[in-house]
Amino acid sequence: LDASMNPIKDHGFSTPGKDDRARNMVEQERFFQMRVLDSFGCPTEGGRDICNASLKCTGSPGRAGTASDDGSLDVDDPDRRESFCQQLRFVSNQITLPVRICMFLLFSKMFTVESVISAGSMVTKNRYGWAVQQVGTLGTIVGCLTIPISIFIGWVSQYREDRVLMIWLMSFAALGMGLLIDVTDFVSTETDTYNEGHPLAVGPYRYIAGYLLVFCSVQAFDGVVGSVLSKVIPTALASGTLNSGLLATVIGTFGRACGDVFITSVGYVDLRQIMNLLFVPSFIILALDLILICYNYDSLTA
């Protein structure tokens, strides 16, 4: 073929060489190294924030920038620098009513289950004279029920809404907590047998039934409220450091710590009335949770 029949050669078209491919790879690597997320989950590029200015997210303190109308950013503007307290304020503004309800349910759930589980050895030793082996057997049974309960509630959730499951599980938890309340202690404070033989007294079998009912219901409720939280959480709290996972963990840990402090405080008040001092407030909290769920039933959905 002559030159007129070879347009590729005449127009200078050719495949890129090894140097061009290597140069492109270096440029891409530099781009991805520069475009990262800062500690608050805001996308940054070359030390500047490139997130939408309407979201009021300008990155970590000292690296904040401002967005002009044309999309350019000014990193030297001190008015746009945000502190950690401002980030907390931004997170609090994103927490809607359904999220607040789920957070309170997580706190109350951890508080009540801690009052029952952690105080089990103290209650059974002082009231029923149980040995370590008996307390350990009850704890083993509770531990073996954890995984089957989670599997069962996951299967049931395919056929029922999360809101319906929350009402049923909270009702069972409140019923189990009611079984642990000894109404005879409000009338008689006999300390030798703890009103043993009275039909309304809490014996060991009734205690075990209420104990297991509370634990199974609250354990299943944990997965359901987590599912609801994942559906109602705003997208702004789905990334970054202060996200929904961190908030749920902090709330749950705080509820567990408050439960432990509550148990210690009750032990100093009166060991004779320790059962009612522990379980009456927990029953009230579970009843309030049930009322809260029913009152905000329509809000607990995606």
Side-chain angles (χ1 to χ4, degrees):
L1 298 177
D2 56 3
S4 61
M5 299 296 293
N6 192 359
I8 297 180
K9 182 176 180 181
D10 291 343
H11 292 282
F13 295 136
S14 61
T15 58
K18 295 183 178 180
D19 295 339
D20 296 336
R21 288 196 297 267
R23 190 180 301 107
N24 293 335
M25 292 177 62
V26 172
E27 293 296 332
Q28 292 179 0
E29 184 178 358
R30 287 182 55 193
F31 174 78
F32 286 112
Q33 287 178 353
M34 295 171 61
R35 188 163 185 162
V36 296
L37 297 179
D38 62 11
S39 59
F40 295 107
C42 301
T44 62
E45 182 175 344
R48 298 185 308 168
D49 298 281
I50 59 174
C51 57
N52 190 356
S54 62
L55 297 178
K56 299 180 181 179
C57 182
T58 55
S60 58
R63 287 176 56 184
T66 58
S68 58
D69 296 334
D70 57 354
S72 61
L73 295 171
D74 183 11
V75 296
D76 296 328
D77 190 354
D79 295 334
R80 299 293 296 176
R81 296 180 181 177
E82 295 185 20
S83 63
F84 185 73
C85 294
Q86 290 173 317
Q87 293 292 330
L88 290 178
R89 192 181 302 113
F90 169 75
V91 172
S92 64
N93 293 333
Q94 296 294 325
I95 299 178
T96 59
L97 177 61
V99 177
R100 296 177 191 272
I101 295 174
C102 292
M103 293 295 182
F104 178 76
L105 294 176
L106 286 173
F107 171 82
S108 58
K109 182 267 301 182
M110 295 302 300
F111 181 88
T112 54
V113 77
E114 191 73 11
S115 300
V116 174
I117 301 299
S118 297
S121 59
M122 181 171 56
V123 171
T124 54
K125 179 180 182 299
N126 290 303
R127 195 175 184 93
Y128 308 121
W130 283 14
V132 177
Q133 292 80 3
Q134 294 170 299
V135 178
T137 302
L138 182 60
T140 302
I141 296 174
V142 167
C144 294
L145 290 175
T146 303
I147 296 179
I149 290 172
S150 301
I151 296 175
F152 174 75
I153 200 63
W155 174 76
V156 175
S157 63
Q158 301 177 7
Y159 307 99
R160 293 292 184 271
E161 291 185 4
D162 293 336
R163 301 175 295 176
V164 177
L165 294 177
M166 291 174 70
I167 293 178
W168 280 100
L169 292 174
M170 191 56 63
S171 301
F172 284 123
L175 176 62
M177 194 66 71
L179 292 176
L180 298 177
I181 298 177
D182 196 337
V183 295
T184 62
D185 286 345
F186 296 117
V187 183
S188 175
T189 58
E190 191 270 324
T191 57
D192 292 334
T193 60
Y194 288 91
N195 304 318
E196 184 179 356
H198 195 284
L200 296 179
V202 180
Y205 296 106
R206 178 176 165 182
Y207 175 81
I208 293 175
Y211 185 96
L212 293 178
L213 187 57
V214 170
F215 175 80
C216 294
S217 302
V218 174
Q219 182 67 27
F221 182 81
D222 188 16
V224 177
V225 71
S227 175
V228 174
L229 180 62
S230 66
K231 296 174 182 177
V232 300
I233 196 75
T235 56
L237 298 180
S239 62
T241 303
L242 299 177
N243 51 28
S244 58
L246 177 63
L247 294 177
T249 302
V250 171
I251 293 296
T253 304
F254 182 66
R256 188 185 298 272
C258 291
D260 293 333
V261 173
F262 179 64
I263 294 172
T264 304
S265 303
V266 168
Y268 282 110
V269 174
D270 188 2
L271 286 176
R272 171 63 182 82
Q273 298 288 342
I274 189 172
M275 179 172 284
N276 286 338
L277 290 175
L278 282 174
F279 302 145
V280 170
S282 299
F283 175 79
I284 295 175
I285 292 175
L286 293 178
L288 291 176
D289 289 344
L290 184 59
I291 295 174
L292 185 65
I293 295 172
C294 294
Y295 185 76
N296 298 277
Y297 183 81
D298 295 331
S299 300
L300 298 175
T301 184

